[in-house]
Amino acid sequence: MASAAQSGTSTPFSSTTTLSAPPTPKLKAVANDLQRIAESGAITASTLVEYIASRTASSSTVFVYDLAEQAGLGSLTKSWAEAGSGTAPVVSLQTRAGAGLSLAGRLSQGSSKDAAKGAILTAYTTPSGLAAMVQSFAYLPPATQNSRLVIQVPTVTPVGERFALSPTLASLTPSLPLLPEGFAVLLSATPQETVDLATLSYRLTNNHVIHLFDHYSSARETGHVATPPVVLPEPGLTLEDGLKKAGYSAFEYAGDQNAQTVVVLANGPLALTAKALASHVPGLGVVIVRVLRPWNEEALRSVIPASVKKVHVFDDVPTETTQGALYLDVFATLLNPLERGPTVKAHRIVPARTQEFLNDVATFLTFVADLLPSSSPVPSLAVPNLKKLLFFSTPQSTLSALPKMVETVFLPHKSLVSRLLTDYDVFSRPGGVAADRIVLSSRQSEAPFIPLSAILPISPRSEGVADFVAVLDPALLKSHAVLDHAAPGSPVLVITDAKAAELVASLPVEAASFVRERNLHLCTLDAKNIATELCKGNAHVQKVLENVLVLLAFLRLYLGQSATEDLVAKVARADLGDTIQGVALTELVSKSWNGLVEIELTAPGATPDAEGVASTPLKRFEFNAIAVETSEGDTVVNGARLGSWHDAAKHILFPSAFTPPGVSHTSPEEQNPALRPELQERTFLITCTVNRRLTPLEYDRNVFHLEFDTRGTGLKYEIGEALGVHGWNDADEVLDFCAWYGVDPDRLITLPVPGSDGERMHTRTVFQALQQQVDLFGKPTKTFYTELAEHAANVADRYALRFIGSAEGSATFKKLSEKDTVTFADILKRYSSARPGIEVLCELIGDIKPRHYSIASSQAVVGDRVDLLVVSVEWVTPSGKFQCQFGTVEFVLTVPPQALLATASARATSPA
């Protein structure tokens, strides 16, 4: 492979072909090297599906529905279409009831120019989106060679209260019986199968085709050699013949040929896991359904052994009272009134149950094994000599591309299989968390394909299965239970510039106990400081060297006791070359080798503050977002983002889809959905009627009396309660900040709703967000300094921010906070090279908190009124700046009575 200093041809599939600083090389629509890139295993099956579907030879138009793009399918197609390189025109559509009517109209004879000249339409949507379209398909004309519909469906659906992504087909099950004749419904699970059936969907000319593929896991894996086929329609090709040519059948049987118990599942990750189990358990057979429509009864009966007595059908259903379509098809096929056949039993698998099986594979295996007439021990599905690697990072991290570099080291070795899968959790932490799973194994053609989610699950109840864990952002040790996944005795690599004593002192009690209980080898590397010494001020070179240094540290730990500097250099040289950005590889190996430090944790109670300190429970990683690289090289994930006026238009045009559950507009005394609807506490709009100073003007303290009119609002309070005023930032100050920061205040931004942990989002202008939600002029926390440092381009700014956020910088932090009383905006202006995107900055700062003031009146006496007694606090900072603090009701001092409306709430609390 070329050295890091060289660059190769950039194609839609070149995300891991060259070594560079993150983000990875830009994706462009250049197909010349498609064969070479695909055969290297550097692209995913989902990317190939998009490529096959978007070619002008396959489709005349591609319709990208919003749900598909949110699931990670369609962004590349749009990027390639903009580049204009043999890509079909792209139309963006929204998902709602009757969404398929536009497709039917485009294919209808006599009413569409597309039908007259011939059109093969492709649509991208999800199972839930497909369910909304099914009824419209009744209006589709029959498929012909020049006029038909192909729908590519990534099987990813948000489920549960936390919107975890799942491969369940539950949302589609009730609509499946409504699908008209003339449709072929194909299901694929492995990467090669996904590519093959995507190709077949365009070769068939007598059917409209729906292709559902496993975008939850296997289709997003890299490391698989997939040969890009040439797509040519074959007139008259039947579905059965097309499957046979591709090497598949409508139903696949695996397991004991004399089995008495058979499990029937739709093709997907659980089906592949059950197939692997069947190869180890005598008496068990598994039937994988690859074609749901048209249903072939004869083909199913031919694959089920005559010895079978019980057939268990696993059906994805939305509720336990819903009868699944798969069970009805299997039951009707095996029902024979003339002779006694096998008993068919339905198992209704709701989405929550699917998630349980995915998160804990042992539970699923036990569930299947318990279906056998006699008890049988559950075997391990582990492949011999399997290595499981797990990397935790943040999407914006300098080291976010490291897992791809690790995979690239192993891809050229033909005796090894290297599989990489990246998942994101954008709800549990601002900016998100990335989890990269890499599984290394010897190449065995006969070994069954097992999804990575089953081999290396990232589950809340993990008992530790990873042979190596890397934490590329040390802040994750304090927020997430990342060490839970490390196997006993395995190495854990933490990339941090903190000293050993600092890291140990900052470890949460839960994390420290895991290190001791599992005897983990906790190692650290200060890659940033080493790279800074070598890069000579070049930021790009520094990023590259950081990744290389961590890669070399990984190789040392991976090689174990046999590792030497020469051996690490030999393994790395094949991929990196002899020099990287002008620095000799041997020098980098030496620096990485000497910089790697193993930390010994003291026994519990050996240090006074190490044990027994109450700490916040660590969060669990949950897969709820998929990242996609655009043609500009950007990585797109769910979370805070900038947008256009279209985002706001969606809220106005489709209020039912964006109004929070439970919000109503029935009574003026009920919660007004337009009045801070994102807040959990009840809010009221009250009017300031009196604003009177009580102390003389010459008196050094300003004590003033406020009265608020609450008539018609429904605000009730008791003696001893406090009034919470939800204040806004000053409009002029916000506009001045926007002008200085270089951001358009009228641009739309989508942010997580305060207090929702990112589960709910709302859209407003940048000005509205900075004025009404983001605490721009509040007091910065130590965490803010540390996180802002990662965005500082200037080295001096970066180290200064890190110092203030560290334990040694406590005195400086205290001075800034208590004497200088700096705000978030002040810090940004003081360290001006730290300029994260405005959407990232909003999440770093956090939200304005209501200011609570003790109520100085009794509602039983004053009626619909609230009285407050407020004292202003004035001082001069050491820099000579005059400060005056009134809390969030500062604005009432300059606004005449009767002219001020304030958002308020009441609760029992101590005064501000």
Side-chain angles (χ1 to χ4, degrees):
M1 197 162 184
S3 69
Q6 297 173 324
S7 61
T9 304
S10 179
T11 78
F13 315 101
S14 61
S15 61
T16 61
T17 56
T18 59
L19 177 63
S20 69
T24 50
K26 294 182 179 181
L27 299 171
K28 294 182 180 179
V30 180
N32 298 334
D33 290 335
L34 172 60
Q35 184 81 20
R36 176 181 60 82
I37 299 298
E39 290 181 356
S40 73
I43 58 172
T44 68
S46 291
T47 301
L48 276 174
V49 168
E50 281 202 60
Y51 190 82
I52 293 168
S54 63
R55 299 301 91 195
T56 52
S58 303
S59 307
S60 57
T61 308
V62 178
F63 295 85
V64 180
Y65 283 86
D66 52 355
L67 291 182
E69 195 166 9
Q70 291 167 16
L73 192 78
S75 296
L76 288 175
T77 299
K78 287 184 175 182
S79 299
W80 298 335
E82 291 174 0
S85 58
T87 303
V90 176
V91 178
S92 298
L93 294 176
Q94 295 176 349
T95 302
R96 55 185 181 272
L101 289 174
S102 58
L103 302 177
R106 293 289 290 265
L107 291 179
S108 296
Q109 296 290 340
S111 63
S112 171
K113 62 180 182 180
D114 293 299
K117 66 181 182 181
I120 292 86
L121 305 184
T122 292
Y124 300 160
T125 188
T126 63
S128 55
L130 181 61
M133 300 165 63
V134 166
Q135 289 185 341
S136 305
F137 293 158
Y139 301 99
L140 277 173
T144 65
Q145 179 180 349
N146 297 321
S147 178
R148 60 188 187 278
L149 173 64
V150 178
I151 305 178
Q152 303 291 349
V153 185
T155 54
V156 174
T157 304
V159 299
E161 296 179 353
R162 302 191 63 82
F163 300 105
L165 295 183
S166 170
T168 180
L169 300 179
S171 58
L172 179 61
T173 297
S175 305
L176 197 59
L178 303 177
L179 199 65
E181 293 184 5
F183 267 90
V185 181
L186 313 178
L187 296 99
S188 59
T190 69
Q192 186 63 57
E193 185 180 35
T194 298
V195 175
D196 291 340
L197 295 193
T199 304
L200 178 61
S201 61
Y202 293 98
R203 287 178 174 165
L204 298 174
T205 60
N206 298 329
N207 300 89
H208 300 298
V209 180
I210 297 173
H211 174 217
L212 299 105
F213 59 94
D214 178 22
H215 195 61
Y216 174 81
S217 57
S218 64
R220 292 189 300 110
E221 293 180 15
T222 58
H224 300 280
V225 176
T227 304
V230 177
V231 181
L232 294 174
E234 299 183 28
L237 181 68
T238 65
L239 176 59
E240 185 177 359
D241 290 340
L243 286 170
K244 188 175 181 180
K245 281 187 176 181
Y248 303 101
S249 58
F251 302 95
E252 179 183 351
Y253 181 84
D256 193 340
Q257 294 299 322
N258 298 312
Q260 295 185 350
T261 303
V262 164
V263 177
V264 180
L265 308 91
N267 204 6
L270 290 181
L272 294 178
T273 306
K275 176 182 176 182
L277 176 67
S279 63
H280 295 83
V281 178
L284 176 65
V286 171
V287 173
I288 297 178
V289 179
R290 192 173 281 115
V291 179
L292 279 175
R293 292 292 183 272
W295 185 258
N296 191 330
E297 295 187 354
E298 182 180 349
L300 177 60
R301 284 193 290 264
S302 67
V303 300
I304 296 181
S307 58
V308 172
K309 296 182 179 179
K310 285 189 177 181
V311 176
H312 299 269
V313 181
F314 287 17
D315 232 335
D316 286 344
V317 292
T319 65
E320 293 182 351
T321 58
T322 305
Q323 183 62 68
L326 182 58
Y327 166 75
L328 295 176
D329 290 333
V330 174
F331 180 81
T333 300
L334 301 181
L335 178 64
N336 187 347
L338 301 179
E339 61 182 39
R340 184 178 179 85
T343 303
V344 182
K345 182 178 180 180
H347 295 271
R348 299 171 183 177
I349 311 298
V350 297
R353 189 67 163 157
T354 300
Q355 290 303 98
E356 181 183 358
F357 287 158
L358 292 169
N359 289 333
D360 190 353
V361 179
T363 300
F364 175 69
L365 298 179
T366 302
F367 182 81
V368 175
D370 288 345
L371 301 177
L372 296 170
S374 58
S375 60
S376 176
V378 180
S380 171
L381 301 183
V383 178
N385 302 319
L386 197 70
K387 290 293 184 182
K388 308 170 188 176
L389 317 176
L390 187 56
F391 298 80
F392 287 102
S393 64
T394 54
Q396 301 84 9
S397 170
T398 302
L399 300 172
S400 59
L402 178 70
K404 292 183 180 180
M405 292 177 59
V406 172
E407 184 198 28
T408 304
V409 171
F410 295 100
L411 279 178
H413 296 276
K414 301 303 181 182
S415 61
L416 289 177
V417 175
S418 176
R419 300 164 60 186
L420 167 64
L421 177 65
T422 304
D423 296 336
Y424 290 87
D425 179 353
V426 298
F427 292 157
S428 64
R429 183 184 186 274
V433 181
D436 294 88
R437 286 176 273 198
I438 296 180
V439 171
L440 304 173
S441 62
S442 58
R443 193 174 298 276
Q444 299 178 8
S445 58
E446 300 300 324
F449 182 92
I450 305 176
L452 269 181
S453 56
I455 298 174
L456 182 50
I458 306 178
S459 65
R461 299 183 299 274
S462 177
E463 296 181 357
V465 293
D467 300 307
F468 169 85
V469 173
V471 183
L472 306 181
D473 186 339
L476 296 177
L477 287 172
K478 303 177 184 178
S479 61
H480 287 71
V482 293
L483 301 183
D484 294 22
H485 309 287
S490 61
V492 174
L493 177 61
V494 179
I495 308 303
T496 177
D497 57 359
K499 304 297 182 184
E502 296 174 1
L503 181 64
V504 172
S506 65
L507 274 181
V509 175
E510 183 179 341
S513 64
F514 267 108
V515 174
R516 298 189 189 96
E517 290 171 8
R518 297 186 181 176
N519 191 28
L520 302 179
H521 299 283
L522 187 62
C523 302
T524 65
L525 177 69
D526 187 356
K528 181 163 288 187
N529 282 335
I530 299 175
T532 301
E533 296 174 359
L534 299 171
C535 72
K536 301 177 182 179
N538 188 315
H540 170 76
V541 173
Q542 178 181 335
K543 292 180 180 180
V544 173
L545 295 183
E546 281 185 53
N547 281 272
V548 172
L549 287 165
V550 180
L551 173 63
L552 297 173
F554 157 76
L555 290 175
R556 176 184 174 182
L557 296 174
Y558 174 78
L559 294 171
Q561 295 181 352
S562 61
T564 63
E565 289 190 44
D566 291 339
L567 181 58
V568 170
K570 180 180 179 181
V571 174
R573 185 174 291 109
D575 182 56
L576 303 178
D578 291 321
T579 60
I580 297 92
Q581 298 293 340
V583 182
L585 176 62
T586 53
E587 182 180 359
L588 289 171
V589 171
S590 177
K591 293 282 188 181
S592 175
W593 189 280
N594 296 327
L596 191 63
V597 178
E598 183 171 357
I599 297 178
E600 295 290 340
L601 263 65
T602 57
T607 56
D609 299 327
E611 299 294 332
V613 179
S615 60
T616 304
L618 296 177
K619 299 177 182 179
R620 310 293 170 176
F621 180 91
E622 191 161 32
F623 173 37
N624 49 45
I626 295 174
V628 177
E629 289 190 28
T630 67
S631 61
E632 301 303 320
D634 299 323
T635 298
V636 181
V637 295
N638 306 43
R641 65 184 187 276
L642 284 173
S644 67
W645 63 268
H646 297 88
D647 292 331
K650 293 177 185 178
H651 290 250
I652 298 171
L653 294 174
F654 310 105
S656 60
F658 293 96
T659 301
V663 171
S664 62
H665 304 258
T666 57
S667 169
E669 292 194 1
E670 293 187 5
Q671 173 68 54
N672 184 350
L675 188 64
R676 301 301 297 269
E678 74 275 7
L679 298 178
Q680 295 182 351
E681 55 189 316
R682 172 78 184 277
T683 54
F684 309 86
L685 191 63
I686 60 178
T687 306
C688 179
T689 57
V690 175
N691 178 359
R692 183 172 63 252
R693 178 168 177 147
L694 302 180
T695 55
L697 293 176
E698 62 273 12
Y699 193 69
D700 61 351
R701 301 199 72 185
N702 181 8
V703 181
F704 53 98
H705 171 74
L706 296 173
E707 293 183 8
F708 292 91
D709 185 359
T710 65
R711 284 178 296 181
T713 64
L715 174 62
K716 305 294 180 183
Y717 62 90
E718 301 291 340
I719 295 177
E721 289 190 336
L723 184 74
V725 181
H726 302 261
W728 290 2
N729 291 320
D730 181 77
D732 292 336
E733 291 185 359
V734 170
L735 290 173
D736 289 342
F737 177 83
C738 289
W740 173 80
Y741 206 72
V743 62
D744 183 1
D746 295 326
R747 187 85 180 270
L748 291 195
I749 185 171
T750 298
L751 292 171
V753 171
S756 70
D757 289 332
E759 293 183 4
R760 292 164 53 197
M761 312 291 287
H762 59 178
T763 300
R764 52 184 58 183
T765 66
V766 170
F767 173 77
Q768 290 172 328
L770 295 179
Q771 183 195 37
Q772 303 169 23
Q773 177 179 344
V774 180
D775 195 13
L776 182 62
F777 302 107
K779 184 184 297 185
T781 62
K782 293 196 75 172
T783 303
F784 174 75
Y785 289 96
T786 304
E787 294 179 344
L788 184 64
E790 302 305 316
H791 301 277
N794 183 278
V795 176
D797 287 352
R798 187 183 313 129
Y799 281 113
L801 289 167
R802 285 183 184 170
F803 173 76
I804 299 171
S806 67
E808 292 86 350
S810 297
T812 305
F813 172 77
K814 184 176 181 180
K815 175 182 177 295
L816 290 172
S817 179
E818 299 180 4
K819 292 186 177 181
D820 293 344
T821 60
V822 295
T823 65
F824 289 100
D826 292 333
I827 295 301
L828 288 166
K829 291 179 180 179
R830 180 174 298 190
Y831 303 100
S832 57
S833 73
R835 287 210 175 192
I838 190 65
E839 69 279 11
V840 176
L841 179 64
C842 288
E843 293 196 275
L844 289 180
I845 292 177
D847 304 309
I848 297 173
K849 304 297 189 295
R851 181 78 171 177
H852 289 87
Y853 296 87
S854 293
I855 297 175
S857 60
S858 170
Q859 196 164 29
V861 176
V862 301
D864 295 329
R865 197 180 82 197
V866 180
D867 295 355
L868 298 182
L869 184 67
V870 182
V871 182
S872 67
V873 180
E874 303 172 357
W875 71 97
V876 177
T877 67
S879 62
K881 181 180 178 182
F882 176 77
Q883 295 277 26
C884 183
Q885 181 176 347
F886 311 101
T888 51
V889 293
E890 173 183 352
F891 51 83
V892 302
L893 298 178
T894 57
V895 180
Q898 306 289 349
L900 176 71
L901 295 176
T903 304
S905 58
R907 74 175 188 184
T909 185
S910 58

